[in-house]
Amino acid sequence: MNDDPIDVEKIRRILHLAKAANNQQNPDQAIALIETLRLAESEGLEKDWADSQLILAEAYTAKGDQLAETLFEETFELLAQFSPPEITLEIRAHEHFGDYLRRFAKRPSLARQHYENAKSRAVDLHICAEDIARIQLKIEAIELAMDQSPEAENFATLKRVAKKWGYTCAEQLAAWLHHKGQADDHDQGLRFARNREQAGEQYFKYLLDMVRMKT
Amino acid sequence: MKVKSNRWLSRIRKALSESNSEKATQCLVCRFRPECEPLETITTQFGIEQIVREPLPFDGGVYELDGKRFIKLNSLAASVRQRFTLAHELGHLILERTLKATTSCTSDKQLEEACDMIAAELLMPATLTRTLAERLGKQSPEKLTKVANYFDVSLRTAARRLYDLELWKMGTGMWKCDSAPEQIWFVGKRPWKTDRPSFSAFELAIESKTPVCTSERFSKGPYTELVALKAHHIGKKYVVAVVATTRNAGSVPAKAHS
């Protein structure tokens, strides 16, 4: 038992640093920082405890370590006890568990469920459109992969162009939805086509520019 | 002419009672283009009312809506590519008229190849290409540019046509030479396997205003082989090179050059 008085500010600073380490692709540093904390039994710090578990789960996801799955499950158990619910943490947990399931556990349908959970909470909470778009793009990608859709390559092209030129997730999503919406128009009355299945980088750049100009 | 087995080309040969694919394609194209009319003019013979240029997620196609036919071309593509697509779509219309080739869209790879061949004849008529190639003489990257400019086609289309007509027999390629050269296309038999070959000719060409000639070795399994390269920087770090395998230079064990 540790009798030291709890320095809440210090704890939150460490959590902040650990999150930053994860964002900078430095999971080992994030894990080391979290391990300096002793929060489990501290009253009034339940949210910080859940946050620390989530940061650990995210760090182990980045390392591709199976321990991530257990840590996410523990995080969900902790989050289930909050009333009112901690929706921002729930969104993060669902989205990043989805990432783990998609990238490492190769369980796309379960990953899709978690992304949907994250998205519905994000919509309920009216969080920023960029976050919702980011999650929706993950859902689009997973659906294309699950369906083995020929459009998956076009989606990859869109993502590549967007990364190269620095488009936001909201812009990417709008461009992708425009592309999907136009597919029927492009097919209507089409008798012969050249290279029908592959949309070029220029086309997605054009759509992304168009979306940016509109907004 | 280098022609792979293709049932549509066989049908063209049969329809025109001509055993040679190149001549059969020439005759077929002549039926619809007796003089050297622009491609746009030929489309009217097939009831095409309009050629629409707009941003498309593909190169283009033939449309039929409410009894009206039109061609859409991807306005985002380079003009030479748009021209090739227009010629390719004309290929579909010609085959539809002559052979009832009504397979829609791109489900038939051999039909697409046959349309590419008709497109090549429309853009670079064999007779004219042969005359020009003979006048220009020995194959080189600069002459490839001349041929492409003359016919208003891409360098790749020009290289492909010259190779298919067996006018230029050496391999030709284009590489983007940023940090490491990356192949954009290669026409002919490529002596090496990698898409990222490392030749000093590319580096020298980037720094030179005139074409650069080198003889260099590349690894091929446990051996090295000799090739002669003529490389020309065409701008923005794109290099076009003609590649000749040096006969009788022999394969030399790699260690001999280490």
Side-chain angles (χ1 to χ4, degrees):
Chain A
M1 183 111 183
N2 191 341
D3 293 331
D4 290 348
I6 291 170
D7 183 342
V8 177
E9 282 306 308
K10 188 181 169 191
I11 288 167
R12 293 197 176 143
R13 210 164 45 244
I14 290 172
L15 288 175
H16 178 76
L17 288 171
K19 259 183 251 180
N22 268 343
N23 289 339
Q24 289 160 12
Q25 317 292 324
N26 199 344
D28 289 323
Q29 194 188 347
I31 293 165
L33 283 162
I34 295 297
E35 281 173 354
T36 63
L37 299 174
R38 292 185 200 90
L39 290 168
E41 294 170 22
S42 309
E43 211 169 296
L45 290 175
E46 292 84 357
K47 186 187 165 188
D48 300 291
W49 168 234
D51 196 4
S52 71
Q53 288 299 100
L54 181 52
I55 292 167
L56 268 187
E58 289 163 343
Y60 281 104
T61 295
K63 286 162 72 77
D65 192 316
Q66 289 180 348
L67 182 57
E69 187 159 350
T70 312
L71 288 163
F72 275 117
E73 281 163 3
E74 283 176 15
T75 306
F76 285 123
E77 279 173 25
L78 290 170
L79 291 173
Q81 293 165 21
F82 287 104
S83 181
E86 281 297 334
I87 294 184
T88 48
L89 285 183
E90 285 185 8
I91 293 167
R92 241 176 73 204
H94 281 294
E95 183 184 355
H96 293 156
F97 190 35
D99 291 346
Y100 170 80
L101 291 166
R102 178 173 59 91
R103 288 167 59 198
F104 299 108
K106 307 291 177 205
R107 286 151 72 190
S109 57
L110 190 56
R112 188 183 181 286
Q113 279 176 32
H114 281 279
Y115 287 144
E116 288 287 5
N117 288 339
K119 189 183 133 192
S120 67
R121 282 161 174 76
V123 171
D124 290 346
L125 198 64
H126 304 294
I127 69 162
C128 79
E130 181 65 4
D131 292 330
I132 297 171
R134 188 187 60 249
I135 299 166
Q136 183 58 38
L137 283 170
K138 290 179 180 180
I139 294 171
E140 295 283 333
I142 220 161
E143 284 177 348
L144 290 169
M146 284 167 69
D147 296 345
Q148 294 184 317
S149 165
E151 280 291 315
E153 204 171 313
N154 284 339
F155 188 78
T157 305
L158 167 80
K159 295 292 289 179
R160 193 170 59 244
V161 173
K163 189 179 176 188
K164 187 172 164 186
W165 300 94
Y167 288 93
T168 65
C169 292
E171 288 167 338
Q172 290 173 49
L173 182 62
W176 181 247
L177 295 177
H178 183 88
H179 168 69
K180 284 208 310 190
Q182 290 272 294
D184 287 345
D185 289 349
H186 289 313
D187 281 346
Q188 202 185 0
L190 184 62
R191 289 185 53 75
F192 308 114
R194 185 167 177 245
N195 292 336
R196 177 71 187 91
E197 64 285 357
Q198 288 171 339
E201 288 194 1
Q202 284 165 317
Y203 171 72
F204 285 114
K205 177 78 171 63
Y206 162 80
L207 289 187
L208 288 161
D209 283 343
M210 193 179 73
V211 165
R212 183 168 280 183
M213 277 174 70
K214 278 185 185 170
T215 51
Chain B
M1 185 180 194
K2 294 175 197 298
V3 181
K4 284 185 247 168
S5 162
N6 181 309
R7 70 178 188 286
W8 291 104
L9 293 179
S10 304
R11 288 181 65 184
I12 294 171
R13 288 198 300 271
K14 201 174 165 187
L16 295 159
S17 307
E18 172 58 65
S19 58
N20 180 292
S21 287
E22 180 195 322
K23 284 185 184 162
T25 312
Q26 252 182 296
C27 293
L28 181 63
V29 168
C30 272
R31 281 186 181 182
F32 298 94
R33 192 194 205 184
E35 302 298 326
C36 218
E37 296 95 341
L39 299 182
E40 286 78 0
T41 311
I42 313 171
T43 59
T44 55
Q45 294 177 44
F46 300 95
I48 298 294
E49 295 189 13
Q50 205 184 355
I51 296 168
V52 183
R53 285 178 167 84
E54 63 178 42
L56 292 173
F58 53 101
D59 283 327
V62 176
Y63 284 77
E64 193 169 322
L65 270 175
D66 306 324
K68 288 181 180 173
R69 282 189 146 196
F70 55 96
I71 290 175
K72 278 189 186 181
L73 299 175
N74 182 11
S75 60
L76 301 168
S79 66
V80 285
R81 194 173 175 108
Q82 289 185 41
R83 244 168 77 73
F84 191 92
T85 302
L86 179 58
H88 173 96
E89 297 311 326
L90 267 168
H92 274 294
L93 295 168
I94 288 171
L95 290 181
E96 184 188 44
R97 175 79 56 86
T98 30
L99 303 177
K100 311 286 176 232
T102 52
T103 317
S104 66
C105 293
T106 52
S107 52
D108 187 337
K109 204 178 167 210
Q110 290 196 354
L111 176 61
E112 294 304 305
E113 284 169 3
C115 291
D116 279 350
M117 208 165 145
I118 294 171
E121 178 59 31
L122 282 164
L123 296 169
M124 295 179 70
T127 316
L128 200 53
T129 307
R130 191 163 278 120
T131 308
L132 183 63
E134 280 164 10
R135 205 172 71 209
L136 288 171
K138 206 176 158 190
Q139 180 175 353
S140 75
E142 317 92 278
K143 286 171 190 168
L144 178 65
T145 308
K146 281 185 184 168
V147 174
N149 289 343
Y150 181 84
F151 289 110
D152 195 12
V153 296
S154 68
L155 292 170
R156 185 184 192 168
T157 298
R160 176 89 261 162
R161 184 66 169 159
L162 289 159
Y163 185 78
D164 284 346
L165 291 172
E166 296 181 341
L167 298 169
W168 283 5
K169 294 178 181 172
M170 291 182 276
T172 311
M174 184 194 270
W175 291 264
K176 172 85 171 164
C177 300
D178 274 331
S179 47
E182 188 177 1
Q183 182 184 302
I184 308 296
W185 53 262
F186 194 93
V187 169
K189 200 175 171 191
R190 194 177 69 180
W192 53 85
K193 282 186 178 172
T194 177
D195 278 346
R196 294 176 174 271
S198 176
F199 290 117
S200 58
F202 296 157
E203 291 164 35
L204 294 168
I206 292 286
E207 288 160 16
S208 170
K209 285 179 182 169
T210 54
V212 171
C213 296
T214 60
S215 280
E216 301 184 49
R217 288 195 173 271
F218 65 92
S219 299
K220 198 170 189 181
Y223 299 99
T224 65
E225 279 192 16
L226 191 62
V227 282
L229 293 135
K230 187 171 186 186
H232 185 35
H233 181 211
I234 57 165
K236 294 181 180 172
K237 297 203 170 176
Y238 284 96
V239 169
V240 174
V242 171
V243 181
T245 47
T246 316
R247 279 185 194 167
N248 305 324
S251 297
V252 178
K255 278 184 183 173
H257 293 276
S258 59

